[in-house]
Amino acid sequence: MTRTPVNVTVTGAAGQIGYALLFRIASGQLLGADVPVRLRLLEIPQAVKAAEGTAMELEDAAFPLLSGIDIFDDAARAFDGANVALLVGARPRTKGMERGDLLEANGGIFKPQGEAINAGAADDIKVLVVGNPANTNALIAQQHAPDVPAARFTAMTRLDHNRALAQLSKKAGVSVSEIRKLTIWGNHSATQYPDIFRAEIAGKSAAETVNDQAWLEDDFIPTVAKRGAAIIEARGASSAASAASAAIDHVHTWVNGTAEGDWTSMAVVSDGSYGVPEGLISSFPVTTSGGEWSIVQGLEIDDFSRARIDASVGELAEERDAVRKLGLI
Ligand code: NAD
Ligand code: LMR
């Protein structure tokens, strides 16, 4: 039986993340090797021609699962009927900027996109915000889509999660596949808290296995939290292929479920769990099943972790207040 294609809307399609992302979506890595997709690309008018070039290349790759590509410079049309929306289009920071510096520049993009999702997306819409500052941009879009369940708006901390997996695997001398239950808490910013106290390596406590508090505080946490800036410094441009890869992982896990005995990190609307104020879009340990996520409950939070979670969540509250002042929510 031929399946109906899933409509995947990607904003910023002509950008660097878009270029790495679209081919992986079209090849079946986002939703599954048996799920046909129809791409709906949104760009600003000046970049539509470049998006058309990427669409030509997608056509030339002859992906069996790609059932069509439409290109728009109008959000209302791009999100019409969308089942999955990847909100990538936004300005990246350059050397010396903090992600918070992008609040004003990028926040304005997400209000009309939230409204367009509210007006025309499919009933099962799932939204992933990648464009920075991702958590607060997701909050802006969510606030302008009152008819869509808030749980459908998420922001990406999977890149931070993957970075933390890679650093911990190097330190412990194990494969990333032996690490479970790692968590990124809070904001996708330098205040984020990559937490190994609840993580396991081959079934044992990761923190006890590593047993190196100086490495944790002076190396692991800052390396993961400042990796975005280190990539910008080295590449002269912000991370793109790894960000696209994390976006694929995020949606794939959301749709297809987390493995038994493991969880992932996603920035989702807080229900007040772990003292994170209700309504903020903050990263949590999350399991997924049947296309729905739930925050892992009942974890004991030690004082070291508590202080770091509170600092990052405090930054999210400040960002929310700043966009409120700007009239964006
Ligand atoms: P880029 O500049 O290469 O591409 C951005 C694209 O978005 C451009 O083609 C631009 O024309 C388009 N765009 C701008 N405004 C738009 C709008 N209103 N509608 C549709 N398209 C629009 O940037 P990039 O490297 O692809 O990065 C995109 C965003 O992702 C940046 O904000 C970057 O900071 C962020 N990012 C997030 C993560 C994460 O982990 N959450 C990781 C890497 C990058
Ligand atoms: C990243 O984490 O690589 C991105 O969010 C880009 C940035 O500005 O750090």
Side-chain angles (χ1 to χ4, degrees):
M1 194 182 81
T2 319
R3 290 180 61 163
T4 313
V6 175
N7 288 323
V8 181
T9 298
V10 180
T11 76
Q16 17 156 34
I17 295 177
Y19 195 70
L21 183 60
L22 293 169
F23 292 83
R24 295 194 56 188
I25 299 173
S27 72
Q29 293 175 62
L30 186 78
L31 299 171
D34 56 347
V35 185
V37 291
R38 176 175 284 276
L39 285 170
R40 300 177 72 78
L41 310 183
L42 177 65
E43 258 299 349
I44 53 173
Q46 310 87 285
V48 161
K49 188 146 195 287
E52 284 168 358
T54 304
M56 287 162 70
E57 284 202 68
L58 283 161
E59 194 179 298
D60 294 348
F63 291 115
L65 290 173
L66 182 58
S67 73
I69 310 173
D70 296 296
I71 302 174
F72 306 95
D73 61 7
D74 171 59
R77 294 180 64 212
F79 290 112
D80 190 33
N83 305 105
V84 176
L86 302 174
L87 274 49
V88 179
R91 187 182 146 193
R93 66 180 169 143
T94 42
K95 278 186 198 180
M97 283 173 88
E98 277 307 317
R99 278 176 272 223
D101 297 337
L102 295 173
L103 262 187
E104 193 164 359
N106 287 342
I109 295 173
F110 291 84
K111 178 174 179 223
Q113 292 188 358
E115 289 166 349
I117 289 168
N118 197 53
D123 287 347
D124 66 348
I125 180 71
K126 288 183 170 57
V127 181
L128 167 63
V129 176
V130 174
N132 278 318
N135 301 52
T136 300
N137 288 338
L139 178 70
I140 295 169
Q142 182 269 319
Q143 291 284 308
H144 292 282
D147 303 332
V148 177
R152 306 289 185 73
F153 285 84
T154 66
M156 191 163 92
T157 51
R158 186 62 173 264
L159 178 55
D160 311 292
H161 183 98
N162 288 347
R163 287 167 172 165
L165 278 176
Q167 294 301 320
L168 181 57
S169 86
K170 274 204 291 187
K171 171 72 176 172
V174 299
S175 149
V176 288
S177 60
E178 288 180 78
I179 302 173
R180 303 259 183 286
K181 300 183 177 173
L182 198 65
T183 307
I184 303 295
W185 297 90
N187 199 1
H188 171 63
S189 78
T191 68
Q192 68 177 265
Y193 173 50
D195 176 5
I196 67 166
F197 286 104
R198 276 137 284 278
E200 296 170 1
I201 297 176
K204 299 201 181 93
S205 158
E208 282 169 28
T209 303
V210 169
N211 193 23
D212 187 345
Q213 187 69 17
W215 169 80
L216 178 69
E217 287 186 45
D218 304 335
D219 189 340
F220 176 74
I221 295 174
T223 298
V224 173
K226 296 181 187 163
R227 187 71 161 184
I231 303 272
I232 291 169
E233 185 61 37
R235 239 171 63 83
S238 79
S239 61
S242 57
S245 195
I248 296 279
D249 290 345
H250 177 115
V251 174
H252 191 273
T253 302
W254 189 356
V255 171
N256 294 295
T258 39
E260 187 64 38
D262 200 4
W263 64 60
T264 189
S265 304
M266 281 169 74
V268 296
V269 179
S270 177
D271 60 355
S273 294
Y274 299 103
V276 179
E278 222 177 306
L280 286 180
I281 299 197
S282 184
S283 189
F284 286 100
V286 157
T287 55
T288 56
S289 174
E292 313 256 338
W293 55 260
S294 0
I295 297 172
V296 176
Q297 294 298 328
L299 301 173
E300 295 262 334
I301 307 295
D302 54 281
D303 291 348
F304 177 87
S305 302
R306 182 77 263 163
R308 281 161 178 78
I309 295 170
D310 288 350
S312 195
V313 168
E315 183 186 49
L316 282 173
E318 282 168 20
E319 289 185 13
R320 177 201 53 204
D321 295 346
V323 295
R324 227 178 236 154
K325 271 205 192 108
L326 292 167
L328 294 171
I329 57 173

